[in-house]
Amino acid sequence: ALCIPVSVSAFSLSKIGEQALIHNSCAHPLRATIERDGLFWPSSSPNYGRIERSSTISDEDDDELFDEEEFVLASTLDAVVKIYATHSDPDFLIPWQKRQQTTSTSSGFVIDVPGIGLRVMTNAHSVEYGSVVQVQRRGDDEKHAAIVEAVGNECDLALLRVDSLFSPQNDDQFQPFAMPIGPLPALQDDVEVIGYPAGGDSLCVTKGVVSRIEMQEYAQAGASLLAMQIDAAINPGNSGGPVVNDALEVVGVAFQGIDEESIENVGYVVPASVVRHFLEDVRRNNGKYTGFCHLGIDVSFLENKTYRKFLKMDNLEGEKKRISGVCVRRIQPTAGAFGILQPMDVVMAVDGIPVGNDGKIPFRRGERVNLGCYISSLFPGDVATVSIFRDGKEMEVAI
């Protein structure tokens, strides 16, 4: 509108005013046009749906028109924030100085961490080497300073503390809404990605379905954890934004995609199970992140029949019994399995979950994941019962 000449703009507004006031003569056509209940400009009260307003309803009774679903939807969208970060990456060739600062924008959302309080969750790479991190909520022009409280590079998640936003003394009308964490979705379940991607400044919502759930390598630290693939658009700026289901529960956090021309509609999400593990780890360690568990062993698959015959896996105690598992090649000296497992041991099951010859275990109906997926769901201090096959005999050990 600022690019339109004044004379043309005045002519256009007067024409609109004449059309809007055919039955009523008024000396202020522009004012009459704006007061036409959100036809050309949003009304003063928020309109979260097509609700008919009556002239007899006062502003005090306006909130009663909005049902619970619309209130939850508005609160969910308000819980998604935009994150501004200034990065000061170190120079590893010249360690006494840093590289030139860069800036980035990403997404985040408000959650309630048990025992800690309200925090903003986002991706670890969104605030990596961040010298200045700020949070801006939807529909607000103020940016709030944030402190990076916990960072999990393995799972590419981070927690931010925003004192000015969640302070009890904050007399602002904004009431923080903590988004609930939902269950792990099934294949073909509808999901929506909410965030602030490239292409605009306002909140953006894209919709898709769950395409696949399996172990993937996280680009942030190279760790292999459970990841969820969806066909909804995930663009730069969506990082850290929530992925919600039909009940507006968080089922994942958008974190990466595939940058190849031949691949389309592929975006990866940190699933709800990994998010819960990260939050529980932070809660157990008083706000600090410790990491995910690993067995610390190198294994070889036993899909070769000759290999299985060499390990005497075809016949156990004179009975035809199928034994499956993976063969231990090396145990890391710092692993908990060091001194318990031995090279050439066959890991058959962990906590009663059978291990296939391809190194995978049952996950859900029709789905299999790597053995490391279950191990990563444990916490430091937990004890796992491992069934092994050694020298032609079955035995159980505790790790």
Side-chain angles (χ1 to χ4, degrees):
L2 294 178
C3 298
I4 302 176
V6 177
S7 59
V8 177
S9 177
F11 173 80
S12 302
L13 291 175
S14 62
K15 286 297 184 181
I16 295 175
E18 291 177 3
Q19 295 176 4
L21 299 174
I22 295 177
H23 61 283
N24 184 15
S25 59
C26 181
H28 303 283
L30 175 60
R31 178 180 177 184
T33 302
I34 294 179
E35 290 179 352
R36 284 180 56 83
D37 193 22
L39 183 60
F40 301 101
W41 187 261
S43 55
S44 58
S45 60
N47 188 10
Y48 299 122
R50 299 198 58 82
I51 302 177
E52 297 295 337
R53 297 181 60 190
S54 174
S55 58
T56 59
I57 298 179
S58 61
D59 293 337
E60 290 78 7
D61 299 333
D62 212 9
D63 293 339
E64 298 179 0
L65 295 175
F66 309 135
D67 57 17
E68 183 178 357
E69 293 183 358
E70 292 168 341
F71 175 77
V72 173
L73 174 59
S75 300
T76 301
L77 297 180
D78 289 340
V80 182
V81 298
K82 189 172 185 178
I83 298 174
Y84 297 82
T86 301
H87 308 271
S88 299
D89 295 356
D91 193 336
F92 297 103
L93 296 178
I94 311 176
W96 54 85
Q97 70 181 22
K98 295 184 177 182
R99 297 181 180 178
Q100 184 177 1
Q101 289 186 342
T102 59
T103 60
S104 68
T105 60
S106 56
S107 306
F109 59 98
V110 180
I111 60 171
D112 189 4
V113 183
I116 297 179
L118 293 176
R119 295 294 186 269
V120 173
M121 173 170 282
T122 186
N123 283 147
H125 72 262
S126 299
V127 294
E128 186 178 27
Y129 301 121
S131 57
V132 177
V133 179
Q134 295 176 310
V135 171
Q136 184 182 39
R137 63 177 187 254
R138 185 173 77 115
D140 191 10
D141 60 344
E142 183 179 0
K143 298 177 183 178
H144 303 266
I147 299 175
V148 181
E149 195 169 60
V151 176
N153 287 305
E154 287 178 300
C155 55
D156 201 0
L157 294 175
L159 289 179
L160 309 180
R161 189 180 81 241
V162 191
D163 296 332
S164 61
L165 193 62
F166 303 140
S167 175
Q169 290 78 20
N170 189 6
D171 57 354
D172 191 48
Q173 296 180 355
F174 174 72
Q175 298 294 332
F177 174 78
M179 299 184 67
I181 307 296
L184 188 68
L187 296 181
Q188 295 186 341
D189 280 359
D190 293 332
V191 292
E192 293 181 349
V193 181
I194 309 175
Y196 295 88
D201 294 330
S202 59
L203 192 68
C204 176
V205 181
T206 57
K207 190 173 183 179
V209 298
V210 178
S211 305
R212 180 163 40 189
I213 298 179
E214 64 178 8
M215 298 283 285
Q216 291 286 347
E217 180 179 343
Y218 284 40
Q220 174 65 8
S224 294
L225 294 173
L226 191 68
M228 184 169 61
Q229 177 184 329
I230 62 175
D231 66 347
I234 297 180
N235 298 308
N238 270 126
S239 296
V243 179
V244 300
N245 55 15
D246 293 336
L248 298 180
E249 298 172 325
V250 177
V251 297
V253 180
F255 76 106
Q256 71 182 22
I258 297 181
D259 189 13
E260 293 185 13
E261 295 181 357
S262 59
I263 300 178
E264 298 180 354
N265 300 331
V266 175
Y268 291 104
V269 175
V270 182
S273 57
V274 177
V275 174
R276 284 199 184 93
H277 189 284
F278 171 76
L279 295 177
E280 177 64 16
D281 185 26
V282 171
R283 186 194 66 83
R284 291 188 180 190
N285 297 278
N286 299 322
K288 303 299 180 182
Y289 167 79
T290 60
F292 287 79
C293 293
H294 303 275
L295 270 179
I297 60 176
D298 295 336
V299 299
S300 59
F301 300 150
L302 297 178
E303 298 176 301
N304 188 291
K305 294 182 179 180
T306 305
Y307 199 175
R308 295 199 302 269
K309 185 177 180 180
F310 170 76
L311 295 173
K312 303 177 182 180
M313 297 175 58
D314 292 338
N315 191 1
L316 180 62
E317 296 180 358
E319 299 180 359
K320 291 292 183 181
K321 182 178 180 180
R322 183 179 182 274
I323 300 177
S324 64
V326 292
C327 182
V328 178
R329 295 170 49 196
R330 187 177 71 92
I331 304 98
Q332 298 176 5
T334 57
F338 186 78
I340 300 176
L341 296 180
Q342 299 178 6
M344 303 306 292
D345 284 349
V346 177
V347 178
M348 300 187 302
V350 177
D351 287 341
I353 304 175
V355 182
N357 292 324
D358 57 354
K360 294 185 178 181
I361 59 176
F363 182 58
R364 296 186 298 191
R365 181 180 177 87
E367 296 177 290
R368 297 175 64 83
V369 295
N370 294 336
L371 173 61
C373 182
Y374 173 74
I375 301 300
S376 64
S377 67
L378 304 177
F379 292 90
D382 293 346
V383 179
T385 302
V386 181
S387 301
I388 63 174
F389 184 73
R390 178 187 297 171
D391 298 331
K393 297 179 181 180
E394 283 189 71
M395 61 182 66
E396 289 185 352
V397 295
I399 300 178

